[in-house]
Every structure is written in structure tokens, then in C-alpha cells.
Amino acid sequence: MDINNPQRMVFLKKIHLFHGLEDDQIGEIASALEVETFPAGKDILKGEGKGDRFYLIYDGDVGVTRKNKQTKQNEISTLVTGDHFAEEALLGDNSRPAVVIAREDTTTLSLTR
């Protein structure tokens, strides 16, 4: 899926995280984002290693799971278009304890640290 910069800016302006930014600031962020697509059932994050990428769901939905004490995966949330995840990756060297799986074909905009 090709998402041009004006489309990205319109999308970002709807995200609460970016409210209060000027158009030129949103434009800089929009141009730095990478488009990634994931088919249904594909792992986006595997819950291991250090995070280095922040994701915004442009289209689709994902399930977020975490291991319980019996090492079984339990779904803890569903994220949909307009939601974001892995923001801690931009803030430091935090590991990713959760697994994020595309529940349907999903397009994300991502930003690396």
C-alpha cells in the first residue's frame, strides 16, 4: 500500500499523541514514517529483544498477548486503526514483553529510534 505524505499528515492529525504540533512538525514526522504491511496471523512483535520501532496502525487490527505464569499467551488487548504501540522503543532500551499479531491484514506506519 502506498501512503503519500499528505495522507500521512491527515492521519497523524487525528492521533491524540500528535495534537498540538504544527503542520511542519507533523510533516517531518510523516516523511520519516515507514509503511509496513502484515498479513493476518503474522507476528509484528515477537515479545523478545530490545525495541527500536514505534508503530501506528493505519489500517487493520492487532492482538496484544503476554505470557502468564504458566507460560501461556493471554490476549490482553486488541488495537485498531488509529491506535499505536511500542512507543517505549523510542524512549530507551526497553525490552518488549508483549507479542503483537496482526488479526487481519494490517498496514502500519512505523518510526525507528
Side-chain angles (χ1 to χ4, degrees), residues 16-63:
H16 180 72
L17 188 63
F18 301 104
H19 286 190
L21 295 181
E22 300 295 328
D23 283 351
D24 61 331
Q25 294 170 311
I26 290 177
E28 287 181 42
I29 295 168
S31 63
L33 294 169
E34 296 177 38
V35 177
E36 296 185 76
T37 57
F38 301 91
K42 175 79 173 164
D43 287 352
I44 299 172
L45 298 179
K46 295 184 182 192
E48 54 194 42
K50 302 283 185 195
D52 68 347
R53 188 173 294 269
F54 163 69
Y55 296 87
L56 297 153
I57 302 172
Y58 187 81
D59 185 46
D61 73 50
V62 303

Side-chain angles (χ1 to χ4, degrees), residues 11 15 57-61 79-83 104:
F11 175 74
I15 309 287
I57 302 172
Y58 187 81
D59 185 46
D61 73 50
L79 303 175
V80 298
T81 300
D83 286 335
E104 61 183 41

